[in-house]
Amino acid sequence: MKILRTILFVLLALPVFSQQQESDSLKNLLRDIKVGKVHVHDTVQANIMNSLVDLLPDEEWPQVNNALGEFLEAAYKRKSITEKFYLHLQETVIANKGFYAQQKGKLTEACNLYTQSLQLSEKNKNPYGISTMLNNLGAIFDEQGETDKALDYYNRALGIRENNKDTAGLISGYCNVAVIYERKKNPEEALKLYKKSLFFCDENLLPAETATTLTNLGYFYTKNGDPEFIGTMTAKMKEGQKKAIELFTRCLKIEEKYQLKDRMAHTYLVLANQYFLLNDLLKAEQFGRKSYNMANEIGFAEHIKNSSSLLYQVYRTQNKFEEAYSMYDVFIGMKDSLVNSETRKVGSFESIKVGNSIDVRLTQGEKESVLVTAEGVAL
């Protein structure tokens, strides 16, 4: 099921090699079922299709999700599946359609679909489905600027997750509410909520969620300083930057342990930027180079652009003009390439919101959309 969570940092994809193998295996099995080579009960086929929706990339999963909806309708009419099974999977199918609509910027349609899924979850007495849809609706209201309404839905989702001890849901849920309090200029309350999120983290059981929360809290400190530190605002900001670097470094250790290369490229850049602000040019260059090399290794154009921009500034400050020009040339090339790419996307898709949301994966194969407010580096 797709989950919308408003999180300050982009939770990037976990390694997908095993997912690719699994999805290929399931696609082959589904093909054999359709041609009659393999015979399974309709519940098994439906579950295979549902698993594929979670595993497949953006260009493939919506089609399989629609096919699953049609298959469920037909199977229910011929009474080969129970009403309980039918309604349970329909929750997911409708929620996924809502997620897809949200991706395309069709927020009214997404709201209607999430509401339908919520009603089914309530009928099925499914607390996970109820909290997920309340969360998704809260994120849409937040995106539309209806802050108080978003806060109400987030808190309702949190209440259910607290009752059901949904650890992963609580981690993101506290961050959702913290984001709103931070926007309301209440950093003290936001900090309490970020710390609550961190309390439920376990880097061994939930490495991706833990890394994300560490980064959320790190960004909070870079923007707000440390509200708990007694001293001048300058002293609060200095203390906040110190804590932010500690948190980003903890996050990086998790990412390196699990080889989350997309995330590593970003965190290297975040640390490079922090050290550049501290005028520690040696460390700024060191982490900037790591980000640039990792971004090139994985082919992540946005990170190549940002890391080359940061390295240009570092080399220019060091009076290394040849290196600075080389990085500037890379930055301009990547910037132009990305602009041209986004222009083609806007011309191809109706109402698409370029750069507003991004798909992520968790260990359970869920997809989430997160709003990106991470600080970037520019010339």
Side-chain angles (χ1 to χ4, degrees):
M1 184 180 290
K2 309 328 182 219
I3 308 171
L4 266 152
R5 290 178 183 163
T6 307
I7 301 180
L8 285 177
F9 176 70
V10 188
L11 176 58
L12 295 166
L14 293 176
V16 296
F17 180 68
S18 60
Q19 288 183 328
Q20 182 66 53
Q21 288 181 317
E22 187 178 354
S23 64
D24 287 345
S25 176
L26 289 177
K27 281 194 284 188
N28 290 334
L29 176 57
L30 193 60
R31 190 180 304 114
D32 288 343
I33 292 170
K34 289 181 177 179
V35 299
K37 287 185 177 180
V38 177
H39 298 281
V40 298
H41 194 272
D42 282 350
T43 55
V44 176
Q45 183 171 340
N47 282 324
I48 291 171
M49 297 173 76
N50 188 44
S51 296
L52 271 174
V53 172
D54 276 337
L55 293 168
L56 291 174
D58 284 352
E59 61 272 15
E60 295 183 55
W61 73 258
Q63 183 180 354
V64 176
N65 187 65
N66 290 336
L68 173 58
E70 294 171 1
F71 178 80
L72 288 171
E73 291 289 350
Y76 184 59
K77 284 181 181 178
R78 60 177 174 262
K79 299 182 179 180
S80 61
I81 58 175
T82 65
E83 181 179 22
K84 183 178 180 180
F85 182 85
Y86 167 76
L87 292 175
H88 177 70
L89 273 191
Q90 279 290 13
E91 284 182 47
T92 302
V93 170
I94 295 170
N96 291 346
K97 288 180 178 179
F99 180 85
Y100 184 71
Q102 187 275 338
Q103 282 187 309
K104 299 302 180 184
K106 300 176 181 178
L107 300 186
T108 301
E109 181 182 343
C111 251
N112 291 334
L113 289 163
Y114 287 146
T115 301
Q116 289 178 41
S117 182
L118 174 61
Q119 291 168 347
L120 279 177
S121 295
E122 290 172 337
K123 182 177 180 179
N124 296 335
K125 297 180 180 180
N126 176 10
Y128 176 78
I130 295 170
S131 64
T132 299
M133 290 306 101
L134 288 172
N135 184 82
N136 286 12
L137 286 163
I140 290 184
F141 293 135
D142 195 14
E143 189 174 352
Q144 292 175 323
E146 299 183 60
T147 305
D148 291 338
K149 198 170 183 179
L151 193 58
D152 175 55
Y153 274 77
Y154 282 149
N155 280 325
R156 287 165 62 188
L158 262 177
I160 295 170
R161 288 168 172 176
E162 286 170 349
N163 289 336
N164 288 277
K165 296 180 173 57
D166 177 5
T167 304
L170 287 172
I171 290 171
S172 64
Y174 286 126
C175 284
N176 292 345
V177 180
V179 169
I180 292 181
Y181 278 108
E182 192 174 353
R183 197 182 305 138
K184 285 176 172 286
K185 309 299 181 185
N186 189 344
E188 292 80 9
E189 187 62 28
L191 182 56
K192 289 179 185 177
L193 290 160
Y194 282 131
K195 286 186 174 181
K196 275 190 174 182
S197 177
L198 190 59
F199 173 80
F200 286 97
C201 289
D202 185 318
E203 64 180 72
N204 294 314
L205 297 177
L206 298 167
E209 290 90 337
T210 301
T212 299
T213 300
L214 289 169
T215 308
N216 288 346
L217 191 51
Y219 272 115
F220 170 85
Y221 281 125
T222 63
K223 292 189 294 181
N224 300 281
D226 184 358
E228 297 175 335
F229 186 78
I230 300 174
T232 64
M233 193 61 206
T234 300
K236 286 177 180 286
M237 293 303 296
K238 186 175 180 180
E239 185 66 18
Q241 189 174 33
K242 177 183 175 182
K243 288 188 174 181
I245 289 175
E246 291 173 357
L247 290 163
F248 292 141
T249 302
R250 283 177 61 189
C251 173
L252 183 60
K253 287 180 180 178
I254 296 172
E255 294 163 357
E256 289 178 335
K257 178 179 178 180
Y258 292 95
Q259 281 297 290
L260 310 180
K261 293 186 177 182
D262 286 353
R263 297 192 56 131
M264 287 163 61
H266 191 102
T267 305
Y268 285 141
L269 180 61
V270 170
L271 283 166
N273 194 40
Q274 291 301 309
Y275 284 119
F276 181 71
L277 293 173
L278 290 171
N279 202 35
D280 188 337
L281 300 182
L282 188 62
K283 286 187 177 178
E285 180 184 1
Q286 174 190 344
F287 283 104
R289 268 291 169 188
K290 284 186 175 183
S291 177
Y292 180 76
N293 293 337
M294 184 66 71
N296 275 281
E297 178 185 335
I298 62 179
F300 203 129
E302 187 68 27
H303 286 341
I304 296 172
K305 176 177 77 75
N306 290 336
S307 58
S308 61
S309 171
L310 185 282
L311 285 168
Y312 160 74
Q313 295 177 81
V314 171
Y315 289 135
R316 187 177 64 176
T317 306
Q318 293 173 322
N319 293 324
K320 296 179 179 179
F321 299 114
E322 185 176 345
E323 291 92 337
Y325 177 78
S326 175
M327 287 295 104
Y328 179 78
D329 194 43
V330 173
F331 170 75
I332 293 300
M334 295 309 301
K335 184 179 178 182
D336 291 343
S337 175
L338 286 168
V339 168
N340 291 335
S341 175
E342 299 303 348
T343 301
R344 287 194 295 273
K345 287 180 183 177
V346 172
S348 302
F349 298 104
E350 178 187 356
S351 303
I352 188 167
K353 293 196 172 182
V354 178
N356 191 58
S357 61
I358 144 177
D359 276 348
V360 298
R361 294 186 187 279
L362 297 182
T363 53
Q364 294 176 344
E366 298 171 344
K367 290 180 183 172
E368 304 178 1
S369 178
V370 296
L371 301 182
V372 181
T373 58
E375 298 171 3
V377 190
L379 295 176

